């Protein structure tokens, strides 16, 4: 029997099994630097913090390669870049609980930002800004989980 912390015990399926939000995060690299977003001030979880581009898996349209399709959709929505033909490589996965109590499985991918792509903060409420940092530079201004993901993505 698994015991779940009280803050996530209310998140269960109809059959009573634990339910989780699935989030996909993409770390995009170009010329040894990583494109990170500064999360919007209105975001429910981690407002103002640095993060990879990403978001939640949506039930509509979910099917084969749902994680990769979510990654591509979120990159297009948040920074206006199409990742058609870009190989997305698994980096790591983890678990966390959002600031408002949702249990989340987070899956991180890395990929090369296409040379012709010019990312912009296409969704201002989600993305307050964009920064280009090396993994070492990011370690000084990002949460420890992002620093770990960047180290793994860079290796």
């Amino acid at each position: 029997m698994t015991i779940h912390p009280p803050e996530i015990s209310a998140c269960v399926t109809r059959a009573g099994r634990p339910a989780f939000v699935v989030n996909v995060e993409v770390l995009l690299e170009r010329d040894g630097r990583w494109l990170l977003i500064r999360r919007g001030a209105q975001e429910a979880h981690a407002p103002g913090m640095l993060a990879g581009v990403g978001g939640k898996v949506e039930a509509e349209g979910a099917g084969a390669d749902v994680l990769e399709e979510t990654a591509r959709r979120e990159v297009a929505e948040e920074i206006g870049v199409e990742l058609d033909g870009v190989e997305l490589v698994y980096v790591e996965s983890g678990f966390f609980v959002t600031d408002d109590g949702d249990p989340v499985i987070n899956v991180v991918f890395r990929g090369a930002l296409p040379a012709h792509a010019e990312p912009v903060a296409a969704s201002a409420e989600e993305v307050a800004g964009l920064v280009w940092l090396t993994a070492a530079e990011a370690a000084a201004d990002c949460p420890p989980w992002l620093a770990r993901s960047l180290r793994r993505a860079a290796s």
Side-chain angles (χ1 to χ4, degrees):
M1 173 184 214
T2 304
I3 299 174
H4 299 280
E7 67 271 2
I8 65 170
S9 63
C11 298
V12 295
T13 67
R14 290 181 194 155
R17 291 183 293 272
F20 303 93
V21 172
V22 178
N23 190 70
V24 177
E25 189 171 11
V26 185
L27 301 174
L28 296 165
E29 185 267 339
R30 182 191 282 162
D31 300 325
R33 300 183 83 71
W34 298 90
L35 175 66
L36 302 175
I37 64 166
R38 178 126 354 241
R39 293 175 56 82
Q42 294 79 24
E43 288 292 287
H45 178 69
M49 295 182 88
L50 287 179
V53 180
K56 297 170 196 69
V57 170
E58 296 175 357
E60 184 177 314
D65 300 321
V66 65
L67 298 176
E68 293 83 349
E69 291 304 316
T70 298
R72 293 176 199 289
R73 175 181 48 80
E74 288 292 336
V75 168
E77 288 176 2
E78 291 187 2
I79 64 168
V81 172
E82 297 295 330
L83 292 181
D84 298 332
V86 172
E87 180 184 15
L88 296 175
V89 178
Y90 173 83
V91 173
E92 68 177 353
S93 60
F95 171 82
F96 67 92
V97 177
T98 64
D99 297 339
D100 55 359
D102 288 341
V104 177
I105 302 295
N106 191 55
V107 181
V108 181
F109 289 98
R110 69 175 168 83
L113 189 70
H116 67 279
E118 299 203 22
V120 296
S123 177
E125 54 278 345
E126 294 181 77
V127 180
L130 305 174
V131 295
W132 286 95
L133 301 170
T134 66
E137 291 168 339
D141 188 29
C142 68
W145 56 87
L146 178 58
R148 183 192 63 238
S149 293
L150 284 167
R151 280 192 308 273
R152 288 184 174 185
S155 64

